[in-house]
Amino acid sequence: MKNILYIAVFLLPSMLLAQDFFDERWFFQASANLNIPRKEKATYTYGVHFIDHLGRDASYGKEHKFKEKVIYSTDFSANYLLTHSFAVGGIVGIHHFRAPVTTALKAGIVVRGMLPQASYADIYGQLSGFIPLSKQVKASFGEAKIGLSIPIAVEDAFTVSVLIDASYTSFEVGKPILADEIPDTVEYRTLGIGFGIRF
């Protein structure tokens, strides 16, 4: 897994330098986000072992609600304008969860609907999967997000924006979180805010 991180860290700058920054069809965005699960919307499903009345091993499903915990994440996307109002791109990022405490690498796609060009605002949707950085998380679905990017500062070379989003995050758990249960899935439904730099 460390090899994947090294490749991402060392190849990304060279990929950026290879792009023509004066080609108006290409643009890049880096962002930092905070997402907070809505009340009762951070759920852990798992199985519990027991011995049935015939003395056989069995299990049944249970659900645990986490208290509201902030998810920290960073994203970087390379975007290509297909038309003046529509862009697609690839996205990579890192998610840090506090319930359970774990970190995962994220990779996926982003689609942007550009609002009037002079505003540099856009509505975006992204879909990504998680690549585990620890044994706590299995490679799994990841995140579906829809959001709005609102510029607060527009300069010649870059734009700074406030990001507002709603997301659904899900991953398969690799190790027990509570005790000796059979781990299954953690799901978050969150609202978030962040800052992005487009260049």
Side-chain angles (χ1 to χ4, degrees):
M1 188 51 56
K2 289 182 179 178
N3 291 338
I4 293 174
L5 287 177
Y6 292 145
I7 291 169
V9 169
F10 291 111
L11 287 185
L12 192 56
S14 61
M15 290 168 59
L16 294 180
L17 292 174
Q19 299 296 337
D20 181 0
F21 283 92
F22 298 99
D23 181 351
E24 294 181 0
R25 287 194 173 274
W26 282 101
F27 67 92
F28 305 89
Q29 182 157 321
S31 63
N33 303 277
L34 297 176
N35 283 75
I36 301 174
R38 291 177 291 166
K39 188 174 182 180
E40 301 294 316
K41 296 299 182 180
T43 306
Y44 173 41
T45 55
Y46 59 94
V48 176
H49 292 283
F50 72 98
I51 305 297
D52 69 13
H53 65 283
L54 298 177
R56 297 175 299 189
D57 281 335
S59 64
Y60 64 94
K62 288 192 73 175
E63 187 176 275
H64 175 77
K65 298 290 187 182
F66 289 119
K67 292 182 179 179
E68 295 178 8
K69 298 286 188 180
V70 175
I71 299 171
Y72 304 96
S73 64
T74 57
D75 292 337
F76 178 85
S77 64
N79 306 268
Y80 184 75
L81 279 167
L82 295 175
T83 69
H84 290 298
S85 59
F86 184 73
V88 296
I91 190 165
V92 294
I94 294 177
H95 263 55
H96 177 71
F97 301 94
R98 296 179 61 206
V101 177
T102 189
T103 302
L105 182 66
K106 175 176 73 174
I109 59 170
V110 59
V111 177
R112 300 181 188 275
M114 316 305 290
L115 298 178
Q117 190 171 2
S119 73
Y120 293 97
D122 65 78
I123 297 171
Y124 61 92
Q126 62 188 59
L127 189 65
S128 56
F130 286 144
I131 302 169
L133 297 179
S134 73
K135 293 181 180 179
Q136 188 70 62
V137 179
K138 295 180 180 180
S140 46
F141 162 71
E143 178 187 56
K145 179 185 285 188
I146 186 166
L148 175 64
S149 175
I150 306 167
I152 56 173
V154 178
E155 302 294 337
D156 290 339
F158 65 90
T159 301
V160 178
S161 300
V162 171
L163 310 175
I164 300 170
D165 66 70
S167 70
Y168 169 78
T169 303
S170 172
F171 60 87
E172 293 181 33
V173 180
K175 297 173 68 176
I177 297 172
L178 304 175
D180 60 351
E181 75 275 8
I182 306 167
D184 187 11
T185 305
V186 170
E187 296 179 311
Y188 291 91
R189 290 171 174 80
T190 70
L191 298 175
I193 189 167
F195 289 94
I197 300 177
R198 171 178 167 175
F199 52 95

